[in-house]
Structure formats: structure tokens, C-alpha cells
Amino acid sequence: MAYCRRCGAPISDGATTCPSCGAYQNNTPYVEDNGGFGWGLLGCCIPVVGLVLFLVWKDQKPRTAKAAGIGALVSVIIGILWYLLVAIVGVGAALL
Ligand SMILES: [Zn+2]
């Protein structure tokens, strides 16, 4: 016997959805959720896609969604750091 990850109702082993609330049971083998590095890389290259994948998958594939979300976040942080670096170098060059 397993229990629903959302509402805690008892459900049969291997059930893909909860009969009580309809939530996906992400411990089933039917949904591939391996937190793939590729999705993180995609999110890093195209942050908007990473964000969308995160929002779409956060219930069904939390690990993969997290990978894509972290990739997008890393990309945004790197972008901000790069912008700051360019700004600092630009100000430094202007002062010289
Ligand atoms: Zn449920």
C-alpha cells in the first residue's frame, strides 16, 4: 500500500494518479524523472525555456523540473555577474 504524495490518501502500488485528488504520483516508473543534466544545460542556454519547463513539470517531474529551473537560475546569475563585470570594467576604463 502506498499513499498519495499530495493528500495522503491510500492508493494501490503502481497507481499513476491518486483516486482521491487526482495528483500524479511521481514515484511511479511511468514518468521519467531523472533530473537530467541535459535539461539543466538547456535551461542554462535558454533560461525562458528552463523556467517554462520548471513550471510545467514541477508536479509531475520535480527532479527534472528542478534541474531545468536551476539551469535557468544559473544562467540568469551568470548573466547578472557578466553585466556587473562589464559595467565595472567599463567604469574603470572610463576613469583611466
Ligand atoms: Zn491525493
Side-chain angles (χ1 to χ4, degrees):
M1 184 65 77
Y3 295 93
C4 175
R5 292 187 167 224
R6 181 175 289 172
C7 71
I11 55 173
S12 60
D13 292 321
T16 53
T17 57
C18 172
S20 179
C21 72
Y24 265 95
Q25 303 304 306
N26 53 22
N27 56 347
T28 66
Y30 301 104
V31 177
E32 189 181 342
D33 180 22
N34 53 17
F37 176 75
W39 294 112
L41 200 63
L42 180 70
C44 194
C45 294
I46 315 170
V48 174
V49 173
L51 183 65
V52 169
L53 291 177
F54 174 73
L55 293 173
V56 169
W57 284 343
K58 64 182 164 62
D59 288 330
Q60 295 176 29
K61 307 191 207 181
R63 283 204 294 255
T64 307
K66 199 174 165 189
I70 287 173
L73 196 65
V74 166
S75 177
V76 169
I77 289 170
I78 289 173
I80 291 169
L81 289 177
W82 177 248
Y83 178 81
L84 286 175
L85 186 71
V86 169
I88 290 166
V89 170
V91 169
L95 291 174
L96 287 173

